[in-house]
Amino acid sequence: MTHDAAFDTVLAVDWSSGHDRGAAPKQDAIWTCLARSGQPTDPVYHRNRQVAEASIADTIAQEHAAGRRVLVIFDLCFAYPAGFAQALTGTSDPLAVWDWFEERVKDSKHANNRFDLAGQINAMFPGIGPFWGNGRPHHDVDHLPRTQKTSGYGGHGLPEFRDTDTAAKGAQSPFKLSGVGVVGSQVIMGLPMLSRLRRGFGADLSVWPFQPATTPIVLAESYFSLLPDGLDRDLHPIKDAAQTTLYATAFSALSQTDMAQCLDVPASQEGWVLGLGSQHLLRAAMPDPVAPTSDSASGTKLTPPPLRNDCFAMPQGAHWTPVDAALDHLQKHLSPVTGQDIIHVTGAAGRILARPVIAARSHPPHPNAAVDGYAFAGPLPPGTHDLPLHPGRSAAGAPFAGTVPQGHALRILTGANIPSGTDTVVLQEDVTASDTRIALHGPLKQGANARRAGEDMTKGDIVLPAGRRLTPADLATLAACGTGDITVRQRLRVGVLSTGDELRDPGSVVDDGQIFDANRAMLLADVAGWGHAPVDLGRAPDDRDRLRHILTQAATRCDAILTSGGASAGDEDHVSALLATTGSFALWRIAVKPGRPLALGLWDGVPVFGLPGNPVAAQVCALIFAYPALAVLAGADWQPPQSFTVPAGFSKSKKPGRREYLRARINDGAAQVFPSEGSGRVSGLSWATGLVALPDDGIDVRPGTPVTFLPFTGFS
């Protein structure tokens, strides 16, 4: 495996111009695969372009937010032969063509306007063409010939192929819209998506080779037939899925030197196929064997790559780091460290989704009644109506099997399928009924008291995204759309360690120089309340060798470690001293009260958060910094705490320079603060129901001044 890869993540995308392909994975559809350092995950099937685009954008955003550099390779032409862009847009910039198509392409799950648009473009050129291949069997399109052999085709002044198409054996023309290898249709239906990605990620994204590949996100065109047939054998039974796996693996395994060689091509307006001419580098870089590493594909657990050794390193600059800058750094530089499990939805409460969940079935799957009553074909105009009652009824779980005749009504119960021949339900309290007829008053609009099929969720839609911690309500949502097994993150194992010779366990005998360890019980409860698996690491004395042994053992049992005490720069601050030997140490002097020093680093690859020893400062720093950081390490989305603006019920004059967090509670709708700001008053944490956050700038607070209140219940 290559360890100096040019990109942290490679996402391979096999695009399609076809209609919605249904829920079951199929050939000639859209497939994606993500790989890091030559290790692929399972390829993902996308039933239509709308689902695929959302997934691609989400994946890029997640990787970017985790601080990973991303290369996205598309088996899709990024440009046309020289002269096309100028004729179409008035500029030779191929990216202007992307925007031109994005403004004009109309696309839905089952229909699009690509053939009509191609005909309109052809009308702008002399002769016949350049596009050809009308794929509509019974509908001619003005200016769009069905084949290239159509009489008179040509005279439009453009070459059929780009230089890179000519150099890539077997490549198709981007002007070909139908038949085997419909490259042209894929391009028309793909460029709008590329344009939206560019707009969405702005300056963080570049398009190779038209722009230097120096940004955090790089889009590139490739050709998923560059490598010989057979290399993707056994990767997946569906060839498209196997190819995305192969190419994601190969490009992610390239070293910086080899990738630089692949990228070293002229910035032609026609573009270029990434990897063309460098196939030997791709083959040499691939691990052996190439295989997905998730549960369903190989039987092994999918383990994310370790955090970078410099993930906690702050940029050089100010001596004191503002709270928001510290939080922003954590959000950008941390990423999931947990593996994945496949479990049944019934046991998934509190677990974090590792992959988006796609609805296996629409909900409701069939139009059904919202009330007990009678079903008929609406609407009904104003006035009195008398309808014959058709024999039978429709009930939940026992739908009516026949068709209700026009002008008749059928008895129906809440939740029952709307019978064929009907579309409207009248509430039973609004009718007078006999055994054979019902009477009611109009008007009643068509569709009244009837739920539409799929009005809640539609089969194939993304129901819940990756990174979401599942609530009981989420489980109901997943079950309702037919979800059985889901892929979740393994629980983050968080070790909690107290340090200091002066500490003793609560309930033990102590002398005058000793205190009870208040932090460990508090932080273990925090970890459990945040949905992680707490690991009690006990207490460590002020002995560097002993602490080193404890941390080394803890790294084999934990995914992250919280320590309290020893996190500053004094003689007995052994946590900081040991982390400084790893090359990953960062002592953050944060402009915050209480708290300030945070010691961070990696011990045998496991992130360590060194919290202050004072219980109040330890709790505040745990809530503000450890809570969102651990969520990301666990695979969840970044989770800022819940907050509310409330009137102050206190007075305080605060100087500028640092954020202050005051223990507070709400009384009569206003925030009251604990009488003492002393961080040694542990009982103030029990008295409080949350924190008031005062801004970095100076502020004079008087009763009624708006302040920010963070309830403790929001940290969960």
Side-chain angles (χ1 to χ4, degrees), residues 167-244:
K169 183 180 179 181
Q172 300 282 345
S173 168
F175 294 126
K176 177 182 178 182
L177 300 182
S178 64
V180 178
V182 286
V183 171
S185 285
Q186 292 175 357
V187 176
I188 292 177
M189 303 315 300
L191 295 187
M193 172 267 302
L194 296 176
S195 177
R196 287 186 287 270
L197 289 179
R198 282 190 71 222
R199 185 168 61 249
F201 291 98
D204 289 331
L205 181 149
S206 61
V207 181
W208 178 89
F210 313 125
Q211 300 168 323
T214 56
T215 54
I217 305 164
V218 177
L219 307 186
E221 166 191 351
S222 192
Y223 182 33
F224 290 0
S225 296
L226 283 177
L227 297 174
D229 285 342
L231 283 181
D232 58 1
R233 186 179 296 120
D234 300 327
L235 292 180
H236 197 281
I238 296 178
K239 186 174 180 61
D240 300 331
Q243 285 188 325
T244 57

Side-chain angles (χ1 to χ4, degrees), residues 122-307:
N122 280 354
M124 301 168 61
F125 287 82
I128 299 177
F131 288 102
W132 59 273
N134 175 17
R136 294 177 177 172
H138 307 296
H139 177 69
D140 289 332
V141 176
D142 290 343
H143 305 289
L144 181 63
R146 289 201 174 272
T147 72
Q148 203 177 22
K149 297 179 180 179
T150 298
S151 176
Y153 176 83
H156 45 73
L158 295 178
E160 181 181 357
F161 295 97
R162 304 172 297 162
D163 288 345
T164 190
D165 300 328
T166 303
K169 183 180 179 181
Q172 300 282 345
S173 168
F175 294 126
K176 177 182 178 182
L177 300 182
S178 64
V180 178
V182 286
V183 171
S185 285
Q186 292 175 357
V187 176
I188 292 177
M189 303 315 300
L191 295 187
M193 172 267 302
L194 296 176
S195 177
R196 287 186 287 270
L197 289 179
R198 282 190 71 222
R199 185 168 61 249
F201 291 98
D204 289 331
L205 181 149
S206 61
V207 181
W208 178 89
F210 313 125
Q211 300 168 323
T214 56
T215 54
I217 305 164
V218 177
L219 307 186
E221 166 191 351
S222 192
Y223 182 33
F224 290 0
S225 296
L226 283 177
L227 297 174
D229 285 342
L231 283 181
D232 58 1
R233 186 179 296 120
D234 300 327
L235 292 180
H236 197 281
I238 296 178
K239 186 174 180 61
D240 300 331
Q243 285 188 325
T244 57
T245 304
L246 176 67
Y247 285 85
T249 301
F251 278 104
S252 72
L254 285 177
S255 68
Q256 295 185 43
T257 300
D258 290 345
M259 179 61 79
Q261 184 173 331
C262 291
L263 294 170
D264 187 18
V265 302
S268 163
Q269 63 174 285
E270 289 191 332
W272 192 258
V273 170
L274 182 63
L276 181 60
S278 303
Q279 290 94 322
H280 62 291
L281 299 177
L282 294 171
R283 295 187 67 180
M286 288 189 299
D288 186 27
V290 176
T293 56
S294 68
D295 302 70
S296 59
S298 66
T300 61
K301 299 295 183 183
L302 178 62
T303 303
L307 296 173

Side-chain angles (χ1 to χ4, degrees), residues 43-111:
V44 178
Y45 163 74
H46 307 278
R47 62 181 296 168
N48 58 53
R49 286 179 293 278
Q50 291 74 28
V51 170
E53 182 175 340
S55 176
I56 292 167
D58 286 347
T59 300
I60 296 173
Q62 290 172 13
E63 295 299 297
H64 183 43
R68 289 189 280 265
R69 191 161 183 248
V70 187
L71 170 67
V72 190
I73 53 172
F74 294 84
D75 191 2
L76 174 70
C77 294
F78 275 17
Y80 288 92
F84 180 82
Q86 182 72 44
L88 187 70
T89 68
T91 172
S92 60
D93 181 6
L95 300 182
V97 176
W98 293 17
D99 297 337
W100 191 95
F101 276 106
E102 198 272 330
E103 291 176 0
R104 293 166 177 81
V105 168
K106 298 177 181 178
D107 191 16
S108 67
K109 296 178 182 179
H110 300 289

Side-chain angles (χ1 to χ4, degrees), residues 9 26 85 148 278 293 433 448 476 505 523 542 585:
T9 302
K26 295 178 177 64
Q148 203 177 22
S278 303
T293 56
D505 287 337
L523 294 175
D542 290 326
F585 173 64

